[in-house]
Every structure is written in C-alpha cells, then in structure tokens.
Amino acid sequence: QVQLVESGGGSVQAGGSLRLSCVASESTIDMYYMGWFRQAPGKERDGVAAINNGGRTTYADSVKGRFTVSRDNAKNTLYLQMNSLKPEDTAMYYCAARRSRTGVSVLFGAGWYSDWGQGTQVTVSS
C-alpha cells in the first residue's frame, strides 16, 4: 500500500494563497492518477483536481482558474497551488492515488482511488 502524507494547510484570509504537498512512499511515476479531494463538515468528500502520469489535469468547476495541480516525480510529490482562496474552500484536503489503469476512469469518484492520505486542514476567513 502506498503511504501518502499531506502538508501545507493553514488559515488564510480570503484572496490569499496556499500550496499543499503530498509526499508518496513510492515513485509517483508509476501512479496512473493522483488527485485532491476536500471535505467540509457535514458534507461529502468532493474531487477538486486530478492529474495522470502524463501530466493531463482535470479540475472541478468551482476551482478552475484558481487552483493548479502538478506532480514532481523526482520528489515523489503531488502539489496543489491554491490562489484567490474563498471561504467556501474551507475544508479538510486529502490526496489520493490510483495505480491501476483498468476500468472506466472516474476521476472525482473517491471509490476509484486505492490510497489516501490523512488530510490537511485549510481554513479561509472573510
């Protein structure tokens, strides 16, 4: 099982920026897809951004133009650069990975990913 550890969360004011990191215990070049999810109190875990092993990215409509997902395979690290943060972005953020290329891709389906980190809290105040 791949171990994933998130970091970089914190408290910021609206309009501010944060960069989240997720370090994997195995080479990320072997991971078909990696993604970021977030979960606010009382709500479901929703997909935020995803990136495959070729660098193709996908974003939720709510973060397009503000967030950027990237990966550095030399460092076994996934990133999420978050700009122009809004109070609605407040949530626990999780990174996830899928190794297998079989089956239909469901990039924002939590059940599609095989490995998860413990999460890092992001709080945006107005």
Side-chain angles (χ1 to χ4, degrees):
Q1 184 176 358
V2 178
Q3 304 296 313
L4 302 171
V5 181
E6 303 98 332
S7 63
S11 298
V12 298
Q13 293 183 327
S17 299
L18 287 172
R19 188 177 75 159
L20 306 184
S21 299
C22 174
V23 180
S25 62
E26 299 180 7
S27 177
T28 54
I29 198 170
D30 298 322
M31 301 175 188
Y32 178 38
Y33 258 99
M34 299 189 73
W36 288 97
F37 288 73
R38 65 187 182 186
Q39 186 169 23
K43 298 183 179 180
E44 295 184 347
R45 186 172 298 187
D46 295 324
V48 176
I51 183 169
N52 73 0
N53 55 7
R56 187 184 185 95
T57 58
T58 304
Y59 298 93
D61 289 341
S62 59
V63 306
K64 286 181 179 178
R66 299 189 297 121
F67 291 10
T68 303
V69 63
S70 61
R71 61 197 297 173
D72 186 340
N73 293 324
K75 297 181 178 180
N76 292 342
T77 302
L78 175 74
Y79 299 100
L80 183 67
Q81 178 66 48
M82 305 185 294
N83 298 325
S84 301
L85 283 163
K86 305 175 181 179
E88 304 94 283
D89 296 318
T90 296
M92 184 73 73
Y93 283 71
Y94 301 88
C95 65
R98 180 181 173 89
R99 290 162 289 177
S100 176
R101 300 188 69 180
T102 60
V104 177
S105 297
V106 186
L107 304 185
F108 290 159
W112 193 66
Y113 293 85
S114 57
D115 301 286
W116 291 85
Q118 292 300 111
T120 184
Q121 178 67 39
V122 172
T123 302
V124 184
S125 62
S126 59

